[in-house]
Amino acid sequence: MRLGHEQELDAPQGVVWANFMDLHRIGRSFPGAKVTEVHGDDFVGEIKAKLGPLSMYFDGTGSMVERDQDRGRARLTATGQERHGLGRATIDITLTLHPVAKDERTRAHLVTDLVFLGFPMDFGTGLVQRASDPLIERFLTLMAVPGPVPDAAADDDGSLDLIRSATDLFGSFRRDRRERKRR
């Protein structure tokens, strides 16, 4: 499944680039993710996701496989295995940055190729795209913050809450439906 996100960030391209090159920061900026080890361009990490009362833990490894600062392009790949199950996921993320407004702002384009194996649920690309939009928006916003990731960026217990993301998504469907009826 391929997802695309684009966002204009309130930071120069150099700040966003430097933050994306910090593999520990990437882990701290995404809900439920944690990078535990970094060795050059390779990393080890984990993601904790909640589905109602059920918690799922994934352990994984990844690499920054492309860094082209002149073109503003970076690519990161990772593979994870569910700790207590058969689920596996692979992810390939490509970030492209373009300066905007006299180099004071940056347009970030993030393309994510995601493959889930062994999960009993099947999500449509449109549903996953809409559910991921606020998560990626938050992630990219944190990539534009100079200095350390703010402590307030951490969620309640540090988990990616899939129910809350789905609830937010279905709430947006209801708002969209109400707005269409008003027209």
Side-chain angles (χ1 to χ4, degrees):
M1 146 178 356
R2 177 168 276 200
L3 306 172
H5 297 88
E6 192 163 316
Q7 184 174 335
E8 192 167 309
L9 305 171
D10 193 21
Q13 182 173 336
V15 169
V16 179
W17 180 265
N19 288 341
F20 197 77
M21 294 301 106
D22 181 345
L23 295 172
H24 283 289
R25 183 185 185 100
I26 288 174
R28 287 189 303 275
S29 297
F30 196 82
K34 181 179 180 183
V35 172
T36 55
E37 296 176 40
V38 173
H39 305 283
D41 286 341
D42 301 324
F43 64 92
V44 176
E46 59 189 48
I47 291 183
K48 178 182 178 187
K50 291 190 318 188
L51 186 58
L54 177 67
S55 290
M56 297 178 289
Y57 298 87
F58 291 85
D59 295 312
T61 59
S63 296
M64 184 72 72
V65 295
E66 180 182 349
R67 294 177 190 241
D68 187 341
Q69 188 169 4
D70 293 337
R71 289 180 42 217
R73 181 180 159 93
R75 195 167 135 242
L76 183 139
T77 63
T79 302
Q81 177 74 38
E82 189 180 1
R83 281 185 198 164
H84 306 292
L86 301 175
R88 285 184 357 136
T90 61
I91 189 167
D92 188 299
I93 299 169
T94 303
L95 175 72
T96 308
L97 302 174
H98 301 283
V100 179
K102 299 181 184 176
D103 296 335
E104 294 175 18
R105 295 179 60 81
T106 303
R107 173 143 316 271
H109 183 73
L110 197 71
V111 175
T112 306
D113 288 305
L114 200 54
V115 177
F116 292 111
L117 301 169
F119 287 100
M121 356 182 207
D122 185 23
F123 298 108
T125 303
L127 181 65
V128 173
Q129 177 73 50
R130 287 196 63 179
S132 68
D133 286 348
L135 297 172
I136 299 301
E137 180 180 331
R138 177 181 172 271
F139 170 75
L140 287 172
T141 299
L142 288 171
M143 288 292 106
V145 174
V149 176
D151 288 338
D155 283 337
D156 308 334
D157 68 354
S159 300
L160 172 57
D161 190 336
L162 298 173
I163 295 290
R164 188 174 72 197
S165 295
T167 302
D168 293 346
L169 172 64
F170 291 123
S172 74
F173 284 144
R174 286 195 300 269
R175 280 191 302 279
D176 290 350
R177 178 187 263 160
R178 282 193 305 262
E179 289 173 7
R180 282 194 301 267
K181 285 182 180 179
R182 286 183 201 149
R183 293 180 198 167

